[in-house]
Amino acid sequence: MPAPSKKPFGQAGKALDGVRILDFTHVQSGPTCTQLLAWFGADVIKVERPGVGDITRGQLVDVKGADSLYFTMLNHNKRSITIDSKHPQGKRVLNELIKKCDVLVENFAPGALDRMGFTWEHIHKLNPRMIVASVKGFGPGPYEDCKVYENVAQCTGGSASTTGFRDGPPLVTGAQIGDSGTGLHLALGIVAALYQRNRTGRGQKVLCAMQDGVLNLARVKLRDQQRLAHGPLTEYSQYGEGVPFGEATPRAGNDSGGGQPGWILKCKGWETDPNAYIYFITQAPVWGAICDLIGEPSWKTDPEYATPRARLPKLKAIFARIEEWTMTMTKFEVMEKCNAVDIPVGPILSMKEIAEDESLRKTGTVVEVDHPVRGTYLTVGNPIKMSDSISDVKRSPLLGEHTDEILTKVLGLDKKTVAEIKGSGALSAPEKEGKAAA
Ligand code: COA
């Protein structure tokens, strides 16, 4: 280990300085992963199809002619090179990049990388130190060849069957646990593989299946599946309502997933504001404070209410009583009153409120970024804060913006070779020649 740096914290470079990523990702899962690595300081070279690029550049477009927010918000701090990976000269460039990079990250459909000719064997032979990291929909098994998007993963990973209300259909969540969640898992796998490489000197394959990633996030529901064998799930409101349990973990509405009962309650203004609600947790240690606040001090000693066990069958009525109280105040007033006596509550914040939240802007979690085509836009910065590796958010690259820079500075190709490769058409879309940035 080197001697501890004498430089002030935050001025000794970044955690992944010196790591170069060959970023073959598209859409959301892979780009989430490589964006995180870029925020940690890795040099991320995004390879895109000439003329088109990552398909999200043109999806859900809000400003005509500009890259969509879908793309810009997932591809900060990266460089872009356009390469036709099926063209012989494109393969030549990619082979050279493989030799110069530490990690290849991809989330193509199963088999696509092999069909391009970039098998693990080929890559490993060219660069035995290279880590090859992939997102796929499913791991090895009957579904391994399937293409998968976010909601497919939420459904196959156990999230949808356990989300929603008992008397309604399964629900998907707004949080992108299949795509962004799996990208996060993959980033951890890559960092661990880089660490192991320091010892072994060799790369390895890292695979995150979206089904596995979602299941990992839904593991408390697999916990409940096994508990069912030993009797009803007493903390589910279904138990208090006397509704028998079936064979599988049921949907539990807004019940808390832990051992402390919770529910979403109306606050002042709920009739017109869809987000005038608060999540209220009747945590056992603060039961007395809850009783005092809502004006039911006798519940502190009344054996019908005094213990968590006694309360379980009556949770619906208890939350109805607490709601009578929360409805007299805004969600922020409830938050203030409850937090003053350590009662955990969560106001339902709208995206508008989050976008305007000053404290989130101060920490860099919500960031304003300038873009040459679309102007200023908001994004989510690095949610992982490190004291000696400070993230800055740089705008996403234009399609092929760094093609020349990468060919000459990363690969060290001379002008003649660059001209030869460009002339072959491997870096530009034939039908849009002259228009492509490459
Ligand atoms: N040059 C030339 N060809 C390229 C290229 C490039 N730079 N980049 C991609 N391609 C080709 C691929 O080789 C593939 O060709 P092939 O089918 O002949 O082998 C083709 O483009 C399509 O790639 P594919 O990954 O199949 O894209 P798709 O739009 O059909 O499917 C997904 C999209 C996301 C469903 C699929 O990629 C997938 O299942 N990925 C794994 C799971 C995943 O990450 N899903 C979540 C995405 S957020």
Side-chain angles (χ1 to χ4, degrees):
M1 291 292 280
S5 170
K6 296 235 177 343
K7 291 186 180 165
F9 276 84
Q11 289 178 32
K14 290 194 182 148
L16 295 183
D17 272 354
V19 173
R20 189 171 279 146
I21 312 278
L22 184 55
D23 180 8
F24 242 140
T25 68
H26 64 156
V27 202
Q28 185 178 167
S29 63
T32 300
C33 166
T34 51
Q35 178 169 260
L36 280 166
L37 301 175
W39 279 333
F40 292 140
D43 176 15
V44 175
I45 297 174
K46 183 166 173 112
V47 177
E48 296 185 81
R49 198 200 285 257
V52 193
D54 187 323
I55 194 158
T56 59
R57 283 187 186 266
Q59 280 182 347
L60 310 177
V61 170
D62 55 329
V63 176
K64 206 167 168 236
D67 288 328
S68 71
L69 287 167
Y70 197 2
F71 178 83
T72 55
M73 291 178 74
L74 286 159
N75 290 285
H76 293 107
N77 298 54
K78 305 180 186 177
R79 300 199 271 176
S80 167
I81 180 171
T82 50
I83 305 175
D84 178 348
S85 59
K86 293 179 177 164
H87 190 291
Q89 291 287 355
K91 288 183 197 288
R92 173 184 170 189
V93 175
L94 282 165
N95 282 335
E96 291 310 308
L97 278 168
I98 287 169
K99 291 184 205 158
K100 297 271 181 187
C101 290
D102 300 280
V103 188
L104 186 155
V105 191
E106 63 93 20
N107 67 310
F108 290 125
L113 196 64
D114 288 0
R115 286 194 290 278
M116 286 178 196
F118 297 103
T119 59
W120 159 255
E121 290 73 21
H122 173 80
I123 296 166
H124 189 63
K125 200 166 157 205
L126 273 184
N127 179 0
R129 291 174 62 78
M130 179 163 260
I131 291 154
V132 178
S134 305
V135 170
K136 295 288 165 260
F138 295 94
Y143 304 123
E144 64 186 307
D145 292 329
C146 299
K147 291 189 176 185
V148 167
Y149 285 104
E150 171 69 46
N151 289 341
V152 176
Q154 287 198 24
C155 293
T156 56
S159 176
S161 73
T162 53
T163 303
F165 288 89
R166 208 175 52 243
D167 49 3
L171 273 190
V172 294
T173 80
Q176 305 285 283
I177 57 176
D179 280 343
S180 285
T182 308
L184 255 165
H185 282 91
L186 191 71
L188 180 59
I190 290 169
V191 173
L194 281 167
Y195 192 77
Q196 186 172 5
R197 194 182 70 169
N198 288 338
R199 212 176 59 242
T200 62
R202 67 180 183 208
Q204 61 183 297
K205 291 187 270 183
V206 180
L207 170 69
C208 279
M210 293 168 72
Q211 180 184 39
D212 302 8
V214 171
L215 179 58
N216 187 36
L217 299 176
R219 70 171 51 220
V220 297
K221 300 297 180 179
L222 186 57
R223 172 200 68 191
D224 293 349
Q225 179 62 41
Q226 296 169 86
R227 289 172 59 224
L228 269 179
H230 304 280
L233 307 172
T234 53
E235 78 283 13
Y236 279 52
S237 36
Q238 158 170 4
Y239 169 72
E241 290 161 32
V243 178
F245 285 79
E247 286 185 345
T249 308
R251 293 188 267 291
N254 287 318
D255 285 339
S256 130
Q260 308 289 349
W263 198 253
I264 287 186
L265 306 178
K266 291 171 185 157
C267 294
K268 197 180 204 170
W270 67 273
E271 298 90 338
T272 50
D273 176 356
N275 294 305
Y277 289 83
I278 198 153
Y279 198 92
F280 199 103
I281 301 172
T282 55
Q283 197 196 9
V286 289
W287 176 244
I290 295 171
C291 297
D292 287 336
L293 261 190
I294 65 170
E296 296 288 355
S298 65
W299 283 4
K300 287 189 282 186
T301 47
D302 182 341
E304 283 294 306
Y305 292 92
T307 63
R309 182 177 283 274
R311 291 194 289 275
L312 277 178
K314 296 188 264 302
L315 282 177
K316 201 172 175 186
I318 290 171
F319 281 121
R321 174 64 190 95
I322 300 173
E323 192 171 59
E324 278 176 31
W325 177 76
T326 58
M327 280 165 69
T328 64
M329 282 162 288
T330 68
K331 60 191 175 190
F332 296 111
E333 287 164 346
V334 177
M335 170 103 176
E336 216 177 294
K337 285 209 161 27
C338 287
N339 275 305
V341 286
D342 280 342
I343 301 169
V345 289
I348 309 303
L349 296 183
S350 69
M351 275 299 161
K352 182 170 185 297
E353 287 163 332
I354 288 171
E356 292 165 358
D357 188 310
E358 277 308 314
S359 59
L360 289 176
R361 293 199 182 211
K362 277 203 187 104
T363 59
T365 296
V366 174
V367 192
E368 220 168 72
V369 184
D370 207 16
H371 188 277
V373 187
R374 69 162 35 254
T376 321
Y377 65 96
L378 271 194
T379 194
V380 186
N382 190 351
I384 303 165
K385 319 289 187 205
M386 291 167 69
S387 64
D388 207 8
S389 181
I390 317 286
S391 299
D392 51 345
V393 180
K394 296 199 187 99
R395 71 161 173 85
S396 59
L398 303 176
L399 180 58
E401 184 176 345
H402 305 96
T403 297
D404 283 321
E405 184 180 302
I406 290 161
L407 293 177
T408 53
K409 300 220 172 96
V410 176
L411 298 184
L413 299 178
D414 57 33
K415 275 188 182 163
K416 191 169 154 264
T417 314
V418 170
E420 183 197 326
I421 294 169
K422 281 186 160 183
S424 74
L427 310 184
S428 54
E431 71 275 18
K432 287 187 184 169
E433 225 140 54
K435 281 190 192 167

PDB file of all heavy atoms in Angstrom, residues 126-154:
ATOM      1  N   LEU A 126      -7.010 -11.454 -26.544  1.00  0.00           N
ATOM      2  CA  LEU A 126      -6.452 -10.136 -26.887  1.00  0.00           C
ATOM      3  C   LEU A 126      -5.954  -9.398 -25.653  1.00  0.00           C
ATOM      4  O   LEU A 126      -4.949  -8.707 -25.693  1.00  0.00           O
ATOM      5  CB  LEU A 126      -7.532  -9.257 -27.538  1.00  0.00           C
ATOM      6  CG  LEU A 126      -7.763  -9.334 -29.029  1.00  0.00           C
ATOM      7  CD1 LEU A 126      -8.809  -8.307 -29.432  1.00  0.00           C
ATOM      8  CD2 LEU A 126      -6.464  -9.102 -29.792  1.00  0.00           C
ATOM      9  N   ASN A 127      -6.715  -9.520 -24.567  1.00  0.00           N
ATOM     10  CA  ASN A 127      -6.381  -8.788 -23.343  1.00  0.00           C
ATOM     11  C   ASN A 127      -6.811  -9.605 -22.131  1.00  0.00           C
ATOM     12  O   ASN A 127      -7.944  -9.492 -21.648  1.00  0.00           O
ATOM     13  CB  ASN A 127      -7.087  -7.415 -23.337  1.00  0.00           C
ATOM     14  CG  ASN A 127      -6.791  -6.629 -22.081  1.00  0.00           C
ATOM     15  OD1 ASN A 127      -6.072  -7.086 -21.200  1.00  0.00           O
ATOM     16  ND2 ASN A 127      -7.360  -5.437 -21.986  1.00  0.00           N
ATOM     17  N   PRO A 128      -5.891 -10.448 -21.624  1.00  0.00           N
ATOM     18  CA  PRO A 128      -6.263 -11.336 -20.511  1.00  0.00           C
ATOM     19  C   PRO A 128      -6.683 -10.588 -19.249  1.00  0.00           C
ATOM     20  O   PRO A 128      -7.290 -11.162 -18.354  1.00  0.00           O
ATOM     21  CB  PRO A 128      -4.982 -12.134 -20.243  1.00  0.00           C
ATOM     22  CG  PRO A 128      -4.062 -11.854 -21.383  1.00  0.00           C
ATOM     23  CD  PRO A 128      -4.492 -10.587 -22.039  1.00  0.00           C
ATOM     24  N   ARG A 129      -6.352  -9.297 -19.175  1.00  0.00           N
ATOM     25  CA  ARG A 129      -6.716  -8.521 -17.971  1.00  0.00           C
ATOM     26  C   ARG A 129      -8.131  -7.953 -18.063  1.00  0.00           C
ATOM     27  O   ARG A 129      -8.662  -7.407 -17.100  1.00  0.00           O
ATOM     28  CB  ARG A 129      -5.729  -7.356 -17.781  1.00  0.00           C
ATOM     29  CG  ARG A 129      -4.332  -7.826 -17.403  1.00  0.00           C
ATOM     30  CD  ARG A 129      -3.351  -6.665 -17.362  1.00  0.00           C
ATOM     31  NE  ARG A 129      -3.707  -5.670 -16.366  1.00  0.00           N
ATOM     32  CZ  ARG A 129      -3.490  -5.773 -15.065  1.00  0.00           C
ATOM     33  NH1 ARG A 129      -2.924  -6.863 -14.591  1.00  0.00           N
ATOM     34  NH2 ARG A 129      -3.831  -4.812 -14.230  1.00  0.00           N
ATOM     35  N   MET A 130      -8.741  -8.082 -19.251  1.00  0.00           N
ATOM     36  CA  MET A 130     -10.037  -7.411 -19.426  1.00  0.00           C
ATOM     37  C   MET A 130     -11.185  -8.126 -18.692  1.00  0.00           C
ATOM     38  O   MET A 130     -11.339  -9.352 -18.744  1.00  0.00           O
ATOM     39  CB  MET A 130     -10.384  -7.282 -20.908  1.00  0.00           C
ATOM     40  CG  MET A 130     -11.735  -6.625 -21.092  1.00  0.00           C
ATOM     41  SD  MET A 130     -11.992  -6.016 -22.732  1.00  0.00           S
ATOM     42  CE  MET A 130     -11.642  -4.285 -22.523  1.00  0.00           C
ATOM     43  N   ILE A 131     -12.002  -7.309 -18.045  1.00  0.00           N
ATOM     44  CA  ILE A 131     -13.213  -7.801 -17.378  1.00  0.00           C
ATOM     45  C   ILE A 131     -14.370  -7.601 -18.347  1.00  0.00           C
ATOM     46  O   ILE A 131     -14.497  -6.519 -18.932  1.00  0.00           O
ATOM     47  CB  ILE A 131     -13.427  -7.003 -16.075  1.00  0.00           C
ATOM     48  CG1 ILE A 131     -12.322  -7.366 -15.058  1.00  0.00           C
ATOM     49  CG2 ILE A 131     -14.817  -7.255 -15.490  1.00  0.00           C
ATOM     50  CD1 ILE A 131     -12.022  -6.297 -14.049  1.00  0.00           C
ATOM     51  N   VAL A 132     -15.158  -8.634 -18.560  1.00  0.00           N
ATOM     52  CA  VAL A 132     -16.288  -8.522 -19.490  1.00  0.00           C
ATOM     53  C   VAL A 132     -17.583  -8.603 -18.680  1.00  0.00           C
ATOM     54  O   VAL A 132     -17.914  -9.649 -18.119  1.00  0.00           O
ATOM     55  CB  VAL A 132     -16.242  -9.626 -20.568  1.00  0.00           C
ATOM     56  CG1 VAL A 132     -17.439  -9.520 -21.497  1.00  0.00           C
ATOM     57  CG2 VAL A 132     -14.946  -9.532 -21.365  1.00  0.00           C
ATOM     58  N   ALA A 133     -18.279  -7.483 -18.599  1.00  0.00           N
ATOM     59  CA  ALA A 133     -19.451  -7.400 -17.715  1.00  0.00           C
ATOM     60  C   ALA A 133     -20.726  -7.267 -18.536  1.00  0.00           C
ATOM     61  O   ALA A 133     -20.807  -6.433 -19.433  1.00  0.00           O
ATOM     62  CB  ALA A 133     -19.290  -6.202 -16.784  1.00  0.00           C
ATOM     63  N   SER A 134     -21.711  -8.082 -18.205  1.00  0.00           N
ATOM     64  CA  SER A 134     -22.937  -8.118 -19.002  1.00  0.00           C
ATOM     65  C   SER A 134     -24.191  -8.045 -18.146  1.00  0.00           C
ATOM     66  O   SER A 134     -24.255  -8.637 -17.066  1.00  0.00           O
ATOM     67  CB  SER A 134     -23.017  -9.441 -19.780  1.00  0.00           C
ATOM     68  OG  SER A 134     -21.862  -9.636 -20.554  1.00  0.00           O
ATOM     69  N   VAL A 135     -25.192  -7.351 -18.681  1.00  0.00           N
ATOM     70  CA  VAL A 135     -26.549  -7.458 -18.143  1.00  0.00           C
ATOM     71  C   VAL A 135     -27.338  -8.302 -19.119  1.00  0.00           C
ATOM     72  O   VAL A 135     -27.285  -8.076 -20.335  1.00  0.00           O
ATOM     73  CB  VAL A 135     -27.232  -6.069 -18.032  1.00  0.00           C
ATOM     74  CG1 VAL A 135     -28.723  -6.234 -17.712  1.00  0.00           C
ATOM     75  CG2 VAL A 135     -26.563  -5.210 -16.975  1.00  0.00           C
ATOM     76  N   LYS A 136     -28.067  -9.270 -18.611  1.00  0.00           N
ATOM     77  CA  LYS A 136     -28.986 -10.049 -19.451  1.00  0.00           C
ATOM     78  C   LYS A 136     -30.313 -10.116 -18.682  1.00  0.00           C
ATOM     79  O   LYS A 136     -30.363  -9.843 -17.489  1.00  0.00           O
ATOM     80  CB  LYS A 136     -28.439 -11.468 -19.697  1.00  0.00           C
ATOM     81  CG  LYS A 136     -27.155 -11.493 -20.512  1.00  0.00           C
ATOM     82  CD  LYS A 136     -27.371 -11.140 -21.984  1.00  0.00           C
ATOM     83  CE  LYS A 136     -26.078 -10.819 -22.707  1.00  0.00           C
ATOM     84  NZ  LYS A 136     -25.809  -9.401 -22.875  1.00  0.00           N
ATOM     85  N   GLY A 137     -31.356 -10.492 -19.386  1.00  0.00           N
ATOM     86  CA  GLY A 137     -32.660 -10.562 -18.726  1.00  0.00           C
ATOM     87  C   GLY A 137     -32.716 -11.687 -17.711  1.00  0.00           C
ATOM     88  O   GLY A 137     -33.192 -11.528 -16.593  1.00  0.00           O
ATOM     89  N   PHE A 138     -32.213 -12.851 -18.138  1.00  0.00           N
ATOM     90  CA  PHE A 138     -32.252 -14.052 -17.284  1.00  0.00           C
ATOM     91  C   PHE A 138     -30.871 -14.684 -17.238  1.00  0.00           C
ATOM     92  O   PHE A 138     -30.079 -14.535 -18.173  1.00  0.00           O
ATOM     93  CB  PHE A 138     -33.217 -15.098 -17.861  1.00  0.00           C
ATOM     94  CG  PHE A 138     -34.658 -14.653 -17.868  1.00  0.00           C
ATOM     95  CD1 PHE A 138     -35.206 -14.056 -18.990  1.00  0.00           C
ATOM     96  CD2 PHE A 138     -35.463 -14.845 -16.752  1.00  0.00           C
ATOM     97  CE1 PHE A 138     -36.535 -13.654 -19.008  1.00  0.00           C
ATOM     98  CE2 PHE A 138     -36.795 -14.443 -16.755  1.00  0.00           C
ATOM     99  CZ  PHE A 138     -37.331 -13.849 -17.883  1.00  0.00           C
ATOM    100  N   GLY A 139     -30.596 -15.411 -16.178  1.00  0.00           N
ATOM    101  CA  GLY A 139     -29.378 -16.212 -16.114  1.00  0.00           C
ATOM    102  C   GLY A 139     -29.596 -17.497 -16.913  1.00  0.00           C
ATOM    103  O   GLY A 139     -30.662 -17.705 -17.507  1.00  0.00           O
ATOM    104  N   PRO A 140     -28.570 -18.380 -16.924  1.00  0.00           N
ATOM    105  CA  PRO A 140     -28.695 -19.639 -17.659  1.00  0.00           C
ATOM    106  C   PRO A 140     -29.953 -20.400 -17.239  1.00  0.00           C
ATOM    107  O   PRO A 140     -30.280 -20.461 -16.060  1.00  0.00           O
ATOM    108  CB  PRO A 140     -27.429 -20.398 -17.258  1.00  0.00           C
ATOM    109  CG  PRO A 140     -26.465 -19.322 -16.857  1.00  0.00           C
ATOM    110  CD  PRO A 140     -27.280 -18.216 -16.270  1.00  0.00           C
ATOM    111  N   GLY A 141     -30.660 -20.946 -18.208  1.00  0.00           N
ATOM    112  CA  GLY A 141     -31.914 -21.653 -17.910  1.00  0.00           C
ATOM    113  C   GLY A 141     -32.863 -21.514 -19.083  1.00  0.00           C
ATOM    114  O   GLY A 141     -32.469 -21.062 -20.162  1.00  0.00           O
ATOM    115  N   PRO A 142     -34.129 -21.851 -18.830  1.00  0.00           N
ATOM    116  CA  PRO A 142     -35.070 -21.914 -19.958  1.00  0.00           C
ATOM    117  C   PRO A 142     -35.308 -20.568 -20.653  1.00  0.00           C
ATOM    118  O   PRO A 142     -35.711 -20.533 -21.805  1.00  0.00           O
ATOM    119  CB  PRO A 142     -36.367 -22.410 -19.303  1.00  0.00           C
ATOM    120  CG  PRO A 142     -36.208 -22.177 -17.832  1.00  0.00           C
ATOM    121  CD  PRO A 142     -34.746 -22.258 -17.563  1.00  0.00           C
ATOM    122  N   TYR A 143     -35.074 -19.463 -19.983  1.00  0.00           N
ATOM    123  CA  TYR A 143     -35.388 -18.153 -20.587  1.00  0.00           C
ATOM    124  C   TYR A 143     -34.149 -17.374 -21.011  1.00  0.00           C
ATOM    125  O   TYR A 143     -34.244 -16.191 -21.327  1.00  0.00           O
ATOM    126  CB  TYR A 143     -36.195 -17.313 -19.600  1.00  0.00           C
ATOM    127  CG  TYR A 143     -37.458 -17.977 -19.116  1.00  0.00           C
ATOM    128  CD1 TYR A 143     -37.679 -18.180 -17.761  1.00  0.00           C
ATOM    129  CD2 TYR A 143     -38.421 -18.418 -20.022  1.00  0.00           C
ATOM    130  CE1 TYR A 143     -38.839 -18.802 -17.320  1.00  0.00           C
ATOM    131  CE2 TYR A 143     -39.581 -19.043 -19.584  1.00  0.00           C
ATOM    132  CZ  TYR A 143     -39.780 -19.237 -18.237  1.00  0.00           C
ATOM    133  OH  TYR A 143     -40.920 -19.848 -17.798  1.00  0.00           O
ATOM    134  N   GLU A 144     -32.988 -18.005 -20.992  1.00  0.00           N
ATOM    135  CA  GLU A 144     -31.750 -17.236 -21.169  1.00  0.00           C
ATOM    136  C   GLU A 144     -31.653 -16.512 -22.508  1.00  0.00           C
ATOM    137  O   GLU A 144     -30.910 -15.542 -22.628  1.00  0.00           O
ATOM    138  CB  GLU A 144     -30.513 -18.123 -20.961  1.00  0.00           C
ATOM    139  CG  GLU A 144     -30.344 -19.235 -21.965  1.00  0.00           C
ATOM    140  CD  GLU A 144     -29.160 -20.143 -21.576  1.00  0.00           C
ATOM    141  OE1 GLU A 144     -28.066 -19.607 -21.363  1.00  0.00           O
ATOM    142  OE2 GLU A 144     -29.359 -21.374 -21.485  1.00  0.00           O
ATOM    143  N   ASP A 145     -32.397 -16.962 -23.512  1.00  0.00           N
ATOM    144  CA  ASP A 145     -32.293 -16.300 -24.823  1.00  0.00           C
ATOM    145  C   ASP A 145     -33.289 -15.155 -24.997  1.00  0.00           C
ATOM    146  O   ASP A 145     -33.351 -14.537 -26.053  1.00  0.00           O
ATOM    147  CB  ASP A 145     -32.509 -17.332 -25.942  1.00  0.00           C
ATOM    148  CG  ASP A 145     -31.354 -18.325 -25.991  1.00  0.00           C
ATOM    149  OD1 ASP A 145     -30.228 -17.908 -25.640  1.00  0.00           O
ATOM    150  OD2 ASP A 145     -31.572 -19.497 -26.351  1.00  0.00           O
ATOM    151  N   CYS A 146     -34.081 -14.890 -23.987  1.00  0.00           N
ATOM    152  CA  CYS A 146     -35.138 -13.871 -24.139  1.00  0.00           C
ATOM    153  C   CYS A 146     -34.595 -12.456 -24.014  1.00  0.00           C
ATOM    154  O   CYS A 146     -33.712 -12.182 -23.212  1.00  0.00           O
ATOM    155  CB  CYS A 146     -36.205 -14.058 -23.058  1.00  0.00           C
ATOM    156  SG  CYS A 146     -37.022 -15.648 -23.121  1.00  0.00           S
ATOM    157  N   LYS A 147     -35.208 -11.554 -24.797  1.00  0.00           N
ATOM    158  CA  LYS A 147     -34.940 -10.127 -24.616  1.00  0.00           C
ATOM    159  C   LYS A 147     -35.799  -9.645 -23.448  1.00  0.00           C
ATOM    160  O   LYS A 147     -36.930 -10.078 -23.287  1.00  0.00           O
ATOM    161  CB  LYS A 147     -35.322  -9.348 -25.874  1.00  0.00           C
ATOM    162  CG  LYS A 147     -34.401  -9.635 -27.049  1.00  0.00           C
ATOM    163  CD  LYS A 147     -34.674  -8.698 -28.203  1.00  0.00           C
ATOM    164  CE  LYS A 147     -33.667  -8.950 -29.304  1.00  0.00           C
ATOM    165  NZ  LYS A 147     -33.791  -8.010 -30.418  1.00  0.00           N
ATOM    166  N   VAL A 148     -35.259  -8.739 -22.689  1.00  0.00           N
ATOM    167  CA  VAL A 148     -35.991  -8.317 -21.482  1.00  0.00           C
ATOM    168  C   VAL A 148     -35.903  -6.805 -21.287  1.00  0.00           C
ATOM    169  O   VAL A 148     -34.845  -6.217 -21.455  1.00  0.00           O
ATOM    170  CB  VAL A 148     -35.421  -9.051 -20.235  1.00  0.00           C
ATOM    171  CG1 VAL A 148     -35.923  -8.428 -18.949  1.00  0.00           C
ATOM    172  CG2 VAL A 148     -35.810 -10.530 -20.275  1.00  0.00           C
ATOM    173  N   TYR A 149     -37.031  -6.213 -20.933  1.00  0.00           N
ATOM    174  CA  TYR A 149     -37.076  -4.811 -20.529  1.00  0.00           C
ATOM    175  C   TYR A 149     -37.518  -4.724 -19.073  1.00  0.00           C
ATOM    176  O   TYR A 149     -38.004  -5.703 -18.488  1.00  0.00           O
ATOM    177  CB  TYR A 149     -38.057  -4.034 -21.421  1.00  0.00           C
ATOM    178  CG  TYR A 149     -37.508  -3.765 -22.808  1.00  0.00           C
ATOM    179  CD1 TYR A 149     -37.938  -4.502 -23.906  1.00  0.00           C
ATOM    180  CD2 TYR A 149     -36.561  -2.763 -23.007  1.00  0.00           C
ATOM    181  CE1 TYR A 149     -37.436  -4.248 -25.171  1.00  0.00           C
ATOM    182  CE2 TYR A 149     -36.052  -2.500 -24.278  1.00  0.00           C
ATOM    183  CZ  TYR A 149     -36.488  -3.243 -25.357  1.00  0.00           C
ATOM    184  OH  TYR A 149     -35.987  -2.996 -26.602  1.00  0.00           O
ATOM    185  N   GLU A 150     -37.387  -3.513 -18.546  1.00  0.00           N
ATOM    186  CA  GLU A 150     -37.686  -3.220 -17.139  1.00  0.00           C
ATOM    187  C   GLU A 150     -38.865  -4.006 -16.534  1.00  0.00           C
ATOM    188  O   GLU A 150     -38.725  -4.758 -15.581  1.00  0.00           O
ATOM    189  CB  GLU A 150     -37.977  -1.713 -17.017  1.00  0.00           C
ATOM    190  CG  GLU A 150     -38.509  -1.265 -15.668  1.00  0.00           C
ATOM    191  CD  GLU A 150     -37.476  -1.356 -14.558  1.00  0.00           C
ATOM    192  OE1 GLU A 150     -36.342  -0.914 -14.778  1.00  0.00           O
ATOM    193  OE2 GLU A 150     -37.820  -1.871 -13.480  1.00  0.00           O
ATOM    194  N   ASN A 151     -40.046  -3.813 -17.122  1.00  0.00           N
ATOM    195  CA  ASN A 151     -41.226  -4.376 -16.466  1.00  0.00           C
ATOM    196  C   ASN A 151     -41.291  -5.899 -16.557  1.00  0.00           C
ATOM    197  O   ASN A 151     -41.887  -6.547 -15.690  1.00  0.00           O
ATOM    198  CB  ASN A 151     -42.500  -3.738 -17.023  1.00  0.00           C
ATOM    199  CG  ASN A 151     -42.623  -2.292 -16.553  1.00  0.00           C
ATOM    200  OD1 ASN A 151     -41.974  -1.909 -15.581  1.00  0.00           O
ATOM    201  ND2 ASN A 151     -43.421  -1.500 -17.236  1.00  0.00           N
ATOM    202  N   VAL A 152     -40.616  -6.446 -17.572  1.00  0.00           N
ATOM    203  CA  VAL A 152     -40.540  -7.915 -17.649  1.00  0.00           C
ATOM    204  C   VAL A 152     -39.759  -8.408 -16.424  1.00  0.00           C
ATOM    205  O   VAL A 152     -40.142  -9.380 -15.760  1.00  0.00           O
ATOM    206  CB  VAL A 152     -39.845  -8.362 -18.961  1.00  0.00           C
ATOM    207  CG1 VAL A 152     -39.690  -9.871 -18.990  1.00  0.00           C
ATOM    208  CG2 VAL A 152     -40.605  -7.865 -20.190  1.00  0.00           C
ATOM    209  N   ALA A 153     -38.690  -7.697 -16.115  1.00  0.00           N
ATOM    210  CA  ALA A 153     -37.860  -8.103 -14.967  1.00  0.00           C
ATOM    211  C   ALA A 153     -38.622  -7.915 -13.660  1.00  0.00           C
ATOM    212  O   ALA A 153     -38.536  -8.755 -12.752  1.00  0.00           O
ATOM    213  CB  ALA A 153     -36.567  -7.297 -14.946  1.00  0.00           C
ATOM    214  N   GLN A 154     -39.365  -6.818 -13.553  1.00  0.00           N
ATOM    215  CA  GLN A 154     -40.145  -6.614 -12.316  1.00  0.00           C
ATOM    216  C   GLN A 154     -41.136  -7.753 -12.128  1.00  0.00           C
ATOM    217  O   GLN A 154     -41.425  -8.163 -11.004  1.00  0.00           O
ATOM    218  CB  GLN A 154     -40.905  -5.285 -12.377  1.00  0.00           C
ATOM    219  CG  GLN A 154     -40.002  -4.065 -12.220  1.00  0.00           C
ATOM    220  CD  GLN A 154     -40.787  -2.828 -11.841  1.00  0.00           C
ATOM    221  OE1 GLN A 154     -41.873  -2.905 -11.285  1.00  0.00           O
ATOM    222  NE2 GLN A 154     -40.233  -1.664 -12.141  1.00  0.00           N
TER     223      GLN A 154
END
